[in-house]
Structure formats: structure tokens, C-alpha cells
Amino acid sequence: MTHRDLADMRFDLWAPDADSVTLLANGQRLAMSRGRGGWWAVDDAPRGADVDYGYLLNGETTALPDPRSQRQPHGVHGQSRTFDAGSYQWGDGAWTGRQLAGGVIYELHVGTFTPEGTLEAAIGKLDYLTELGVDFVELLPVNAFNGTHNWGYDGVLWYAVQEEYGGPEAYQRFVDACHRRGLGVIQDVVYNHLGPSGNYLPRFGPYLTQGAANTWGDSVNLDGPGSDEVRGYILDNMMMWFRDYHVDGLRLDAVHALRDTGAVHILEEMTARTDAVAVALGRPLTLIAESDLNDPRLIYPRAAHGYGLTGQWSDDFHHAVHVNVTGETAGYYEDFASVSALAKVLTGGFFHDGSYSSFRGRRHGRPLDPHGAALWQLVVCIQNHDQIGNRAIGDRLGAVVGFDLLAVAAVLNLCSPFTPMLFMGEEYGAGTPWQFFTSHPEPELGKATAEGRIREFERMGWDPALVPDPQDPQTFIRSKLDWSQAQGQGPDGGAHARLLGQYRTLISLRQSLPALTEPDFGSVRVEFSEPERWLVMHRGTGRDAVSVAVNLAEVPRTVPITAGAAVLFSTGEGVVSDGAAKVSLPARSAAVLGSLVA
């Protein structure tokens, strides 16, 4: 086999279903040669940067973009453009990475985080995030989708960074800026489906499994003929984020939709590959699964026949907190209508651990083995893009409850035994909604999307007449954060500023009180009263002991705490602790009690 120049190899293409392939590069047509395994290659392709190119399959006249394209300056239907990831001069040489354990995650959507909706503009908010005290920034998907704005889950080119956000070099600058400030970066990636517009992968080869659909369309081919290359396509994409963009972790979207019957599940293979590259790079790398299975095998070590992922979401925590502060019990919230449900989640990680789920009409989940996992491996939240955006009008928690209960929910999240995640704007009680928005250029696709959204809400009992049109540009514009609220401006400016200060204090307490990040399931004890609607979570022992006391009732309550504990934080005035083993809490309030560790 003769040596081939790297400049030529960057145009190599896996297209086993094609009879002929012509590379169109800077207007020049170059015939490609078929090699082993359905791979096509070309010699003497144009050198240098900024080569616009595409592939003509079977004599067609319209070029298709590269499945591994890292730049799509003309959109997902246009030609690709070469990108030299190695040309960027990184300034994060001192960055040694960050472990998930003990961390706080901040989830944001680039397009609505700032008025400009770009990565460059997001850099301007990083000092605000460091002052807030978070450890990781988690970006919703940024890979290329059709249109100008989208949640990101309609991506069709997994290797390309959306041009409206600034493209791949802007992404490198963003990560670099985060690392210089001590912030880790987690990228949300979608490997379970492709968007409905611009998905040309099936034209090249068996990327999808026809007739094996999940909620969003045909499943990705992980175990059928040709699946070795499809799995390689996914694994190589993961390595791209780690190597080319220096990200510290990936959030894996809806892993329950990854259909894989192979002896080595794709998630286990992801973990093995990530562990290997972490060693090579000399810094920790994180994989977090979004899953509604409540299956702890996702985070059990591979040596114990688990998949070995770093962490997984626990939606049960969100549901338990949401129901207890709002009283909403429709749809999947029904089973969580008790203080005992919250207590069970705080001590066991999952509510549905083999119990009957009324929403599913069957038993659901599996118990966590406290010896096989650590508390911090469960990522929890009181708001996120799904739980807000998938409500009928995309209303945040603050549209349902007042600032007093927003603060109570914050205490439950930031003082939970798990890894807390915030959704952008939550920390100051953002009054803006976060609605489901799309910008499909195809009218028929936009109509189908809007109608599909209305059907989704039937089981939750929400009025379909209230559902905003995802295609209306105002739906996107309404979802942008109003940063004047974070600065204490507007009618409720004082309340927004006060909540932001409470979030900063709670995050600081989490970092200074060792008991709050103790990883052992046995370190959590919970007392509660169902009729009186209070709950106390005890963490640690001796002088490190901490009590997190919550009163969900409409009247004051006196609740038990560790004797001699002082009030370190309270959400409202009137918390009374006389040094005995009890504390008096005002209605709808919470307090953290213990002793500060020098």
C-alpha cells in the first residue's frame, strides 16, 4: 500500500452503498477509488485551508456534504468546508481537568443564553458564572441543524458546529476561555437519532436501521450489517470533542433510545474509549447519560458488569421536588405526590426502583446498590431544558410558585447528596419562558412539528390551544434570557437579586461543608412528616454534621436537627434555633444548620 498524503486522506469517505463517488472540491471534479470496507479515497485533492467540497454519488449533479464535516458555512444542505482543528493556539496549558465529584453544573443553550446567541457573546458571561460558583458549563447540542435556530436535537451533521453560533473556531475559543477561568465544559451530544432535514447519511450507507424507530425516527444502526463503521463514526466523534475541542465531558442524550443487542453495548465501548483517551490526555473525562430507565448498571463499573459511565440523570429527583413545591400531579407527576416520595429519592437515588409507575402502567426501575455507586454519580435538577421546554407554554418554575418556594427548591437541589445542575437563568428566577422552537425552512415540516407538539401534551392534561407555534420566530425570541433581571432591575428586581445571592451562598456552602459532598449512600438520613409537610436531611457526623431542614407547609413548623447546630443559611427571616435538637421554620422556608469548618 502506497503512502498517502494527509491532505488527501481528509477527504476519505465511507459510502458502501455507492457505485461511484466523485469529489467536488473548489469546483474541481476528482474521481474517487473504492477501497476495502466501502471506503473511497482520492489522490491529488486541493491542498490548504478553506476547501469547499462535497460528494457526487452515482453520477448525480448535486453534491452532498461530508458526513464528518466540521464546517457547514452554507447550511446543512450546502457543501462542506475543511477545518484545521490543530491550527488554534490554545491557552489552557495549565488546565488539568475537573472531576465530576463535588461539582455543580450549569446547563445553557447558546442561542438563548445571550441576546446575540453566539459562543463569542457567551464568553462575555463566563465571569458571571465563575462568580456564581459553578464548576461546569454544559452546552445543549451545537452540531449543525437546518435553519437558524433550534434546541439542537434536530442535528444532522454531528461533527460540525452550527455556523450561527460562530462555527468550530469560536467553539475552541469558548472552551479555552472556560478553562482559563477554571470552568470545565460538558457538551450535550445526540447519538440516538438524526434530525428530519438535511439527513443525507442513509444515502452513503447503513447509518440507520429501517423499521426500528424510536420516539424521534429511525434508530441508529448499532448492531446490524455495517454497524462497525457506524459505531466508529460515533466513537470518532466523541474523540473529536475531547481532542480537537478540549471538552471535559459529554452528556449522552436519551441513551435508552440506543438500540444495541451486541455483546458489548455501545455505552460500554464509549466508556472504554473515553478512559483510554483520558489517560493519553492526562486529565479526567466525564460521560453522563440521560436515561429514563432508572437502571443503575449505567454507572456500575465495567468490572462489575456495568457500563462504567461517570454519571446519569435522575429525573425522579426533579419530579419529587416539583410536585412538593407546586402541587402539580398530572401525567408522570402523579406518583410523586408525597413528602415520602422526596425522602425516598434523597436516600435511594430513584423513586421508581422496581415500583409500579402509574404513568407507564407497569413496574419501573431497579434499586441502586449503595456499594456499587456513589451519590455524586446521579445528576439532578429542579429545572432543565426538557422539564421547562416540554411544558405547554414553556413556563419556568417561577411562573408556578413564588420566590419563597424557588429558594426552597434551590436548597433541596444544591444541598442534595447528588451532583446538582442548574438551568440558565434559574439562579435569579428568570421570568422569561423557555419554549420549544424550530426554524425548519420546509413549510410541511414546520406544520408537522407544530401538530406533533400538540399531540404530545394530551397525557399531561395541558390545553393544546396554549401551545406556541415552534416555527414562529417570536417563540425563539421570547425564550432568550432577560439579563436585566439578574442585575436587579424591573418590578421584581429586588427578589431576583435576593435569589441570586442565595444561590451564590448555597453553592459556596456546598464547597465549604464536607458533609454536603460525602459520596456514601449511608451518609444520608432523612426524617419527615407527611401530615405536617416538613423534611430534614441529615448529613455527616460530629462537628461536620449538617442538617438541611425544609418546611413545605403553609404554616410554621418545628423540626428536629442535630443538637447544637447553628443556622448557616435560611431562605427567609424568622428561623429560630436555640441550640437544642430542633429548629422553628416559617412557612415555605428552608435552612441549613451545622458548624462552619475552618
Side-chain angles (χ1 to χ4, degrees):
M1 180 177 178
T2 58
H3 174 75
R4 296 181 59 236
D5 194 294
L6 289 176
D8 292 332
M9 293 175 66
R10 62 181 173 167
F11 297 107
D12 286 2
L13 175 73
W14 186 63
D17 292 350
D19 294 323
S20 68
V21 180
T22 299
L23 171 68
L24 181 65
N26 283 350
Q28 181 182 4
R29 293 175 181 246
L30 299 165
M32 303 188 73
S33 303
R34 187 181 186 113
R36 291 181 179 179
W39 280 89
W40 297 76
V42 65
D43 295 325
D44 300 324
R47 299 320 199 240
D50 294 340
V51 176
D52 286 349
Y53 69 103
Y55 299 97
L56 302 169
L57 305 183
N58 303 326
E60 294 181 358
T61 57
T62 300
L64 302 181
D66 183 358
R68 293 174 180 252
S69 167
Q70 290 188 256
R71 279 208 68 189
Q72 288 297 125
H74 308 295
V76 298
H77 296 292
Q79 291 188 28
S80 304
R81 180 172 293 171
T82 54
F83 173 70
D84 180 9
S87 65
Y88 181 76
Q89 299 298 308
W90 288 91
D92 65 350
W95 176 251
T96 56
R98 185 178 290 279
Q99 299 280 359
L100 181 63
V104 177
I105 303 171
Y106 189 93
E107 183 187 43
L108 68 86
H109 176 268
V110 174
T112 52
F113 184 55
T114 64
E116 301 86 351
T118 64
L119 289 158
E120 198 66 43
I123 291 174
K125 294 294 184 183
L126 294 182
D127 290 339
Y128 164 87
L129 294 182
T130 56
E131 185 179 352
L132 179 61
V134 299
D135 303 290
F136 291 95
V137 176
E138 180 175 314
L139 300 181
L140 268 66
V142 298
N143 54 303
F145 54 81
N146 197 23
T148 58
H149 53 270
N150 191 285
W151 272 24
Y153 297 92
D154 284 330
V156 290
L157 288 168
W158 294 347
Y159 286 69
V161 176
Q162 183 73 6
E163 287 294 311
E164 278 74 13
Y165 295 159
E169 188 173 340
Y171 191 96
Q172 291 177 316
R173 291 196 300 272
F174 176 82
V175 176
D176 205 2
C178 285
H179 286 173
R180 294 185 193 202
R181 291 166 173 81
L183 292 168
V185 178
I186 299 172
Q187 179 58 56
D188 191 345
V189 290
V190 184
Y191 296 135
N192 56 65
H193 76 284
L194 290 115
S197 181
N199 174 18
Y200 296 108
L201 294 188
R203 298 280 302 278
F204 294 97
Y207 282 91
L208 302 179
T209 301
Q210 302 296 323
N214 56 39
T215 304
W216 307 281
D218 288 333
S219 296
V220 176
N221 174 22
L222 298 174
D223 53 10
S227 60
D228 288 349
E229 291 292 351
V230 178
R231 294 165 78 98
Y233 181 73
I234 293 173
L235 295 170
D236 288 350
N237 181 258
M238 295 176 63
M239 298 308 105
M240 177 199 76
W241 291 114
F242 294 141
R243 294 183 183 278
D244 292 355
Y245 297 110
H246 291 202
V247 303
D248 303 283
L250 300 176
R251 180 264 191 186
L252 307 172
D253 179 66
V255 299
H256 49 271
L258 296 170
R259 298 172 180 265
D260 185 4
T261 60
V264 180
H265 195 278
I266 185 66
L267 290 174
E268 183 179 352
E269 196 169 357
M270 288 177 176
T271 302
R273 185 72 69 88
T274 300
D275 289 348
V277 78
V279 172
L281 295 176
R283 55 187 173 87
L285 298 175
T286 294
L287 292 181
I288 301 172
E290 182 209 8
S291 171
D292 71 354
L293 298 177
N294 285 13
D295 184 354
R297 288 177 295 183
L298 292 172
I299 55 176
Y300 289 165
R302 284 183 286 136
H305 307 293
Y307 294 148
L309 297 169
T310 317
Q312 69 168 300
W313 281 22
S314 172
D315 284 344
D316 286 3
F317 177 88
H318 168 273
H319 301 342
V321 174
H322 186 90
V323 172
N324 275 283
V325 299
T326 67
E328 292 184 354
T329 57
Y332 52 70
Y333 291 140
E334 180 180 354
D335 295 339
F336 299 86
S338 64
V339 180
S340 64
L342 179 57
K344 181 179 180 180
V345 173
L346 288 170
T347 54
F350 298 141
F351 176 76
H352 286 304
D353 54 3
S355 62
Y356 182 79
S357 166
S358 62
F359 183 72
R360 298 173 178 87
R362 59 171 173 81
R363 288 182 296 172
H364 181 68
R366 182 174 184 157
L368 265 162
D369 178 358
H371 303 293
L375 289 164
W376 57 265
Q377 290 185 272
L378 294 182
V379 176
V380 300
C381 67
I382 55 174
Q383 300 185 68
N384 65 37
H385 70 278
D386 272 331
Q387 300 300 337
I388 300 172
N390 283 332
R391 293 172 65 85
I393 58 173
D395 50 327
R396 292 172 179 262
L397 188 58
V400 184
V401 302
F403 281 92
D404 54 353
L405 285 174
L406 285 180
V408 170
V411 170
L412 286 168
N413 189 25
L414 289 167
C415 295
S416 79
F418 315 116
T419 295
M421 183 178 74
L422 317 180
F423 182 67
M424 61 177 195
E426 165 193 328
E427 70 279 4
Y428 62 84
T432 50
W434 204 74
Q435 300 172 333
F436 180 74
F437 45 81
T438 56
S439 57
H440 299 304
E442 305 90 342
E444 68 282 359
L445 188 53
K447 181 174 182 293
T449 300
E451 293 173 349
R453 290 291 291 176
I454 293 174
R455 289 193 298 270
E456 284 181 22
F457 295 127
E458 292 177 355
R459 291 191 67 185
M460 294 300 292
W462 290 322
D463 185 353
L466 299 177
V467 179
D469 181 0
Q471 287 286 108
D472 184 349
Q474 288 302 312
T475 303
F476 171 62
I477 294 172
R478 279 193 300 269
S479 300
K480 288 179 177 281
L481 287 179
D482 178 359
W483 284 98
S484 68
Q485 294 177 330
Q487 297 161 359
Q489 301 173 13
D492 294 320
H496 290 295
R498 183 167 57 254
L499 183 63
L500 178 57
Q502 291 172 325
Y503 265 81
R504 288 172 175 160
T505 300
L506 284 167
I507 294 173
S508 177
L509 278 176
R510 184 177 182 85
Q511 295 167 343
S512 62
L513 299 175
L516 292 182
T517 52
E518 166 61 47
D520 184 7
F521 273 83
S523 69
V524 185
R525 295 182 297 108
V526 173
E527 297 179 78
F528 67 95
S529 170
E530 198 71 67
E532 294 190 352
R533 292 190 51 73
W534 58 261
L535 177 146
V536 180
M537 179 174 59
H538 301 286
R539 304 293 307 279
T541 57
R543 69 187 299 267
D544 290 339
V546 173
S547 295
V548 180
V550 176
N551 179 16
L552 297 163
E554 300 293 322
V555 296
R557 298 294 189 200
T558 299
V559 304
I561 60 168
T562 302
V567 178
L568 305 179
F569 171 86
S570 63
T571 62
E573 298 179 354
V575 175
V576 178
S577 175
D578 57 6
K582 60 183 180 180
V583 65
S584 297
L585 297 175
R588 299 185 303 278
S589 70
V592 181
L593 302 102
S595 59
L596 282 174
V597 178

